[in-house]
Amino acid sequence: MKNPYFGRLLTAMVTPFNADGSVNYKNAADLADWLIAHGSDGLVVCGSTGEAATMTLEERLELFHVILERVNKRVPVVVGAGSNCTADTVKMVKLAEEAGVDGVLIVGPYYNKPTQEGFYQHFAAVAKATMLPIIVYNVPGRTGSNIAPATVARLAADFKNIVAIKEAAGNVGQVNELFTVLPEDFTIYSGDDIELLPFMSVGATGLISVLSNCGGEMLQEIMQAYEDGRVKEAARLNTKMVPLAKAMFMETNPIPVKAATTMVTGIDCGDPRLPLTSLGAEHKEQLAAMLKEYGLMK
């Protein structure tokens, strides 16, 4: 099994919406092209950044088909298929598999706050229901509970199609523990742009990124420098990247990155769906100034 499994840099794609709030499928496909041309080794469709929580099942499936057709196997297409209901997650994964996706990202159940045994049984049920490779997504800041490294190790040992974790707990020590207890070929993806270099230093080999919607090449540059052993250069590049990555969270994700992606790519990504709102005027001005400073827009 290769490591990183789906490539080094996966972009958690924003979902473009029209002015009336409907999904703009053409712009989504155009954005997929742009991302592939600007550093993305793979795409994650309908994750948190893609606003899957406010999309209907029909919209999500249509978006899967549109992106798969446009990408045409140039890079892996991974789709968000998780929910806080195991039965619904299994249903969504089966539909994603029928659509022809390359893998699924499954978030730890939110709101319910499962025990570690509950986490294990949830992911076990998904793994048994599909042949697709699965990325476990640990994001306690959104779900309210943490998937322990021992639980991930147990899943990796029992199910060969659980191949990676997107680790977004913001805890370097936890990544080190994951690296210690997981097989060598199991991929640890950083789930936070700002944690990329610290996480790589203790075993992560890739990134599932928000910033790469508009700045993928700088992230690739950091990872390449680190992998080449140019550690001080990687640190210098990382120091430059972090303020921009933080700016993508000046309001709730994906509010800022949707605005930034529109500015940088020229592809209109629209406003987020309620209950998220458009980026405030002051923040939009600050973000535009930063993007110009970084040379990402004129």
Side-chain angles (χ1 to χ4, degrees):
M1 193 162 72
K2 57 187 177 179
N3 187 354
Y5 191 92
F6 291 105
R8 187 165 62 183
L9 178 63
L10 305 185
T11 296
M13 274 185 65
V14 300
T15 300
F17 294 134
N18 294 302
D20 64 1
S22 60
V23 179
N24 189 325
Y25 296 104
K26 180 186 182 302
N27 282 10
D30 290 346
L31 179 58
D33 278 335
W34 191 94
L35 293 171
I36 294 168
H38 291 82
S40 295
D41 299 318
L43 305 176
V44 176
V45 180
C46 288
S48 304
T49 304
E51 299 179 75
T54 55
M55 293 174 67
T56 66
L57 174 62
E58 291 75 19
E59 287 174 328
R60 292 167 72 184
L61 289 173
E62 179 64 18
L63 187 59
F64 297 171
H65 286 289
V66 166
I67 298 299
L68 286 165
E69 182 177 0
R70 180 66 69 89
V71 170
N72 194 26
K73 301 189 182 301
R74 286 176 290 164
V75 300
V77 175
V78 177
V79 302
S83 75
N84 67 333
C85 172
T86 303
D88 286 349
T89 301
V90 167
K91 177 183 177 181
M92 190 66 199
V93 168
K94 288 180 176 179
L95 291 170
E97 187 168 20
E98 289 173 9
V101 306
D102 298 294
V104 287
L105 177 74
I106 305 296
V107 69
Y110 42 85
Y111 190 77
N112 315 60
K113 291 191 174 182
T115 62
Q116 293 304 311
E117 181 63 22
F119 280 127
Y120 175 85
Q121 294 297 340
H122 176 80
F123 285 100
V126 174
K128 291 173 184 176
T130 183
M131 298 294 291
L132 287 172
I134 296 165
I135 304 175
V136 173
Y137 181 16
N138 186 39
V139 57
R142 285 189 180 266
T143 64
S145 51
N146 182 57
I147 307 171
T151 302
V152 182
R154 183 182 170 198
L155 288 164
D158 292 350
F159 301 100
K160 296 306 179 187
N161 58 335
I162 297 181
V163 300
I165 182 168
K166 177 184 178 183
E167 179 52 59
N171 185 333
V172 175
Q174 181 154 292
V175 176
N176 182 65
E177 187 176 350
L178 284 165
F179 183 71
T180 301
V181 300
L182 287 167
E184 283 189 17
D185 59 357
F186 193 95
T187 303
I188 301 171
Y189 285 106
S190 173
D192 293 306
D193 294 308
I194 63 171
E195 302 289 355
L196 170 59
L197 201 54
F199 280 14
M200 288 188 75
S201 73
V202 292
T205 57
L207 171 67
I208 298 178
S209 172
V210 171
L211 177 59
S212 60
N213 277 281
C214 57
E217 286 140 324
M218 71 175 69
L219 295 163
Q220 285 281 18
E221 196 176 359
I222 293 167
M223 287 189 276
Q224 191 62 55
Y226 185 82
E227 288 181 6
D228 290 346
R230 295 178 281 121
V231 177
K232 287 187 177 179
E233 183 178 354
R236 177 182 60 79
L237 293 167
N238 188 70
T239 298
K240 180 182 177 183
M241 176 274 291
V242 165
L244 184 59
K246 285 183 175 179
M248 298 301 141
F249 292 84
M250 58 174 58
E251 293 182 21
T252 303
N253 180 50
I255 294 172
V257 75
K258 288 197 87 169
T261 303
T262 297
M263 293 181 207
V264 171
T265 67
I267 299 167
D268 186 2
C269 295
D271 290 329
R273 282 181 172 172
L274 288 172
L276 300 183
T277 53
S278 59
L279 187 64
E282 184 178 348
H283 281 156
K284 190 171 184 178
E285 186 176 327
Q286 292 172 3
L287 186 58
M290 286 193 76
L291 293 170
K292 288 176 183 176
E293 179 186 343
Y294 278 75
L296 295 175
M297 63 175 286
K298 296 180 180 179

